Amino acid sequence: MAAIKEYAKNDAREEIREPLVRVDNNLDAGDGSGHGSTKGDQWMVYLSTFVAVCGSYEFGCGVGYSSPTQSAIRKDLNLSLAEYSMFGSILTFGAMIGAITIGPITDFLGRKGALRMSCVFCVAGWLAIYFSKGALSLDIGRLATGYGSGAFSYIVPVFIAEIAPKNLRGRLTAINQLMIVTGVSVSFIIGVVVSWRALAIIGIVPCAVIIFGLFFIPESPRWLAKTGRQRDFEVALQKLRGKDADISHEAAEIQEYIASLDLLPQAKLLDLFQRRYLRSVIIAVGLMVCQQLGGINGVCFYVSNIFEQAGFSPRLGTITYAILQVVVTGLGAAVMDKAGRKPLILASASGLVLGCVLIATSFFLKVHGLALKASPIFAVAGILIFIGSFSIGMGAVPWVLMSEIFPINIKGQAGSLTTLVNWLGAWLCSYTFNFLMSWSSYGTFILYAVVNVLSVLFVIVIVPETKGKTLEQIQGAINK
């Protein structure tokens, strides 16, 4: 009997190494979604995406909160610089905890349940900040909003990828990054004109929209299929594709893939490092390392100081930086399903190299007293090219690919690991930036340029193109 069970288990593994879904050209020729139906009414997909990306906006609000409120909070609560520094860094700590725990929680509660839970943490955190009388309650509030932000950074792209048809999945998932940078920019602008307590209350608004909106949108069909809720799965998929759409081909494709995964043992964290999943892990973790160690958080957190050190107006530079970031991120989201993931991220990483070289040149000229009038020009051009290049691809594409490449049976553990690596990289980059600048201002950006060159090579050699494929096709091809 044991031998028979082992044979069945090995046979199931062999089946999963083969492509589970073969593309039927006749089906694909019928519509834009590749599911062999007439194009349905997709308004529910857009509504569901809007509700989900309010979590991304909330994430941006949390990140952007500390910059415009720093001096007012210190003055009103009589905090020392050391006490306020803890307030600034504890968001990242909370996000790391969120990243570690949210994957399994999302698998247990469902995507909608995890979104609700994240909202509860964020609302509790903002209220704790609003009513703060000292450093302790301020830090508790920041920890809670950090946990919610870390959770949102995983849940939102995963939920969108699981509900969107393949012809819309890239651009809809990329809206995640667009809403994050919009939240950061809006918080920065509003924080200049309202009190820090009022800004904390404003941070609750996106959570209210999510909690209300979740009553009107369906759960992820793929999660429902995985949990065996067949009737709910069909109803949710029909709502997302439109009442007149033929979902039979897509439903069969999803169920076939889920059924094959159910033959495997329950996935554990260490299973991520099995040969079957190793390529997906390398792609997702590698992209997150490339994204964060290329210098984005050093530039983002200290952009005013960089402009000032280069001899350019920090206020004008920061405003231009914020506007460009939002506009280019939106452009990247719009073209992702046409241009493809891989070309966008290659163009992005190449632009990051150029931006770093220009910034390094600016600092080199200033340090050595050469062409002092040209130094600010190089700095401004370098910063704007850097943020524009990051926003067009490197900001969004790693999250899009992370949500696409992992099978649903391992997605919780894989998402937690990937999100944790992202937040650790963000902390490492921001923590080391000032030390590196003290060592060598131009050397810092030469180092970032080298990292981005390595990113280009990594994408060329390792990262696949996923444009125009269903999740089942992507996962069947990568996880052989």
Side-chain angles (χ1 to χ4, degrees):
M1 180 63 72
I4 293 173
K5 287 183 178 177
E6 184 61 30
Y7 174 80
K9 193 180 294 183
N10 291 336
D11 188 55
R13 290 193 181 102
E14 289 301 318
E15 288 181 6
I16 288 181
R17 291 192 181 101
E18 296 298 319
L20 294 171
V21 181
R22 290 171 174 79
V23 179
D24 187 334
N25 292 329
N26 293 327
L27 287 172
D28 279 350
D31 68 354
S33 66
H35 300 307
S37 64
T38 58
K39 189 173 182 180
D41 185 358
Q42 312 253 326
W43 70 269
M44 182 57 75
V45 172
Y46 295 121
L47 176 62
S48 301
T49 299
F50 169 75
V51 172
V53 296
C54 286
S56 308
Y57 185 87
E58 174 69 16
F59 173 14
C61 290
V63 173
Y65 179 79
S66 59
S67 180
T69 60
Q70 176 175 351
S71 58
I73 291 176
R74 287 190 61 194
K75 181 179 178 182
D76 291 353
L77 300 183
N78 195 27
L79 300 180
S80 67
L81 181 59
E83 288 174 319
Y84 188 81
S85 296
M86 175 63 73
F87 175 74
S89 61
I90 204 168
L91 176 81
T92 304
F93 180 69
M96 288 181 187
I97 299 174
I100 293 169
T101 59
I102 196 57
I105 290 173
T106 304
D107 286 344
F108 178 72
L109 294 178
R111 291 14 175 179
K112 289 173 64 176
L115 285 168
R116 287 191 188 95
M117 188 199 73
S118 302
C119 287
V120 169
F121 273 92
C122 286
V123 170
W126 288 123
L127 290 175
I129 293 171
Y130 178 79
F131 290 109
S132 289
K133 302 295 182 183
L136 179 61
S137 57
L138 198 67
D139 289 342
I140 291 172
R142 193 65 165 161
L143 182 67
T145 56
Y147 183 93
S149 296
F152 279 132
S153 67
Y154 166 72
I155 301 166
V156 174
V158 166
F159 177 68
I160 296 173
E162 290 182 353
I163 65 170
K166 67 182 183 181
N167 61 310
L168 296 175
R169 190 178 62 242
R171 75 188 74 168
L172 292 182
T173 308
I175 294 174
N176 170 57
Q177 182 69 17
L178 173 63
M179 293 299 284
I180 291 173
V181 299
T182 302
V184 173
S185 300
V186 170
S187 291
F188 181 82
I189 294 168
I190 295 177
V192 176
V193 296
V194 303
S195 70
W196 62 273
R197 294 186 191 274
L199 190 60
I201 292 298
I202 292 171
I204 296 175
V205 174
C207 293
V209 174
I210 294 171
I211 292 171
F212 179 72
L214 286 173
F215 288 106
F216 303 97
I217 65 174
E219 178 58 270
S220 161
R222 286 174 168 85
W223 181 79
L224 292 170
K226 179 177 178 288
T227 55
R229 295 162 59 178
Q230 178 65 25
R231 177 59 185 160
D232 291 337
F233 158 70
E234 293 174 356
V235 170
L237 189 59
Q238 191 72 67
K239 281 184 178 179
L240 289 164
R241 299 297 176 258
K243 65 179 181 179
D244 297 324
D246 179 7
I247 63 168
S248 57
H249 178 68
E250 184 178 10
E253 185 177 85
I254 293 170
Q255 289 171 322
E256 180 185 356
Y257 192 62
I258 296 294
S260 64
L261 292 176
D262 285 342
L263 296 173
L264 295 175
Q266 182 65 35
K268 301 179 179 62
L269 183 61
L270 290 179
D271 291 340
L272 286 174
F273 304 100
Q274 292 180 2
R275 184 173 176 270
R276 183 186 309 113
Y277 305 121
L278 194 57
R279 188 182 176 206
S280 292
V281 172
I282 291 171
I283 292 167
V285 170
L287 284 175
M288 293 304 179
V289 170
C290 293
Q291 183 193 72
Q292 294 300 332
L293 297 191
I296 182 60
N297 274 294
V299 173
C300 182
F301 292 159
Y302 302 102
V303 63
S304 294
N305 291 339
I306 294 171
F307 279 125
E308 188 174 1
Q309 289 182 39
F312 189 80
S313 169
R315 183 178 181 84
L316 178 60
T318 302
I319 293 172
T320 306
Y321 172 99
I323 294 172
L324 181 67
Q325 188 175 35
V326 173
V327 171
V328 179
T329 302
L331 177 63
V335 303
M336 185 169 295
D337 283 312
K338 294 181 179 179
R341 283 62 154 162
K342 193 165 183 174
L344 273 183
I345 204 166
L346 281 173
S348 177
S350 301
L352 290 173
V353 174
L354 176 59
C356 288
V357 169
L358 290 174
I359 298 169
T361 301
S362 171
F363 282 119
F364 180 84
L365 294 175
K366 186 177 180 184
V367 167
H368 293 88
L370 303 172
L372 295 179
K373 290 184 179 180
S375 177
I377 298 173
F378 280 112
V380 173
I383 290 289
L384 297 184
I385 290 173
F386 184 95
I387 192 57
S389 298
F390 182 87
S391 300
I392 198 71
M394 189 63 80
V397 173
W399 294 106
V400 173
L401 285 169
M402 183 272 291
S403 68
E404 293 177 328
I405 62 178
F406 290 114
I408 199 166
N409 68 314
I410 202 78
K411 188 169 283 186
Q413 293 86 344
S416 290
L417 175 65
T418 305
T419 310
L420 176 62
V421 169
N422 182 273
W423 282 97
L424 280 171
W427 172 81
L428 182 64
C429 181
S430 58
Y431 179 77
T432 58
F433 182 78
N434 280 335
F435 294 107
L436 289 171
M437 290 292 283
S438 299
W439 160 66
S440 171
S441 56
Y442 57 88
T444 299
F445 285 93
I446 290 174
L447 183 62
Y448 290 153
V450 171
V451 172
N452 288 310
V453 168
L454 294 176
S455 298
V456 171
L457 297 176
F458 177 81
V459 173
I460 291 172
V461 175
I462 301 294
V463 178
E465 179 56 72
T466 61
K467 180 186 75 169
K469 300 177 182 177
T470 67
L471 295 182
E472 288 69 35
Q473 289 168 347
I474 296 166
Q475 294 157 13
I478 295 176
N479 302 291
K480 294 180 180 180

